[in-house]
Amino acid sequence: DRMGGLIQRIANTDKGYDFPALSALMYQVKARFPDKTEATILAEPETSYDLLVKTMDAMRSGKSVRNGAVVPVELFPEISIGDAPVRGSGRAS
């Protein structure tokens, strides 16, 4: 969240990363903060470009059904990417 705390840990499925669960979580966060449009991804150095793009896609937008029609929903389109804190370095930052 905005104060750096964990909102929810999303475990991998037997098929890999659970992007539908991430998207569902983004809907919940958006419901709590409807005026917010920005989000930050803190990625570890070995995170692939493909994984970053898929993560951004799950956070950026989704779909909803209104009056029987599927319509796009804006979640957090303003995404920044940064470096995740190094685990176990023993250094304070």
Side-chain angles (χ1 to χ4, degrees):
D1 71 11
R2 296 185 67 82
M3 301 307 291
L6 178 66
I7 296 172
Q8 175 183 336
R9 184 168 306 280
I10 300 174
N12 290 341
T13 68
D14 57 346
K15 296 179 182 178
Y17 297 106
D18 193 348
F19 293 107
L22 174 59
S23 184
L25 179 59
M26 293 298 98
Y27 278 92
Q28 292 173 15
V29 173
K30 187 65 173 184
R32 287 179 45 208
F33 304 101
D35 295 333
K36 295 293 179 190
T37 57
E38 68 276 353
T40 302
I41 297 172
L42 300 178
E44 295 178 343
E46 66 276 358
T47 303
S48 71
Y49 177 78
D50 185 54
L51 178 56
L52 281 175
V53 170
K54 288 179 181 178
T55 302
M56 289 169 46
D57 287 345
M59 296 173 66
R60 181 179 293 123
S61 63
K63 294 183 171 108
S64 180
V65 177
R66 292 190 188 132
N67 299 323
V70 177
V71 295
V73 174
E74 180 181 271
L75 296 170
F76 301 97
E78 299 174 27
I79 300 174
S80 300
I81 300 173
D83 293 328
V86 178
R87 291 190 221 173
S89 68
R91 298 183 315 197
S93 48

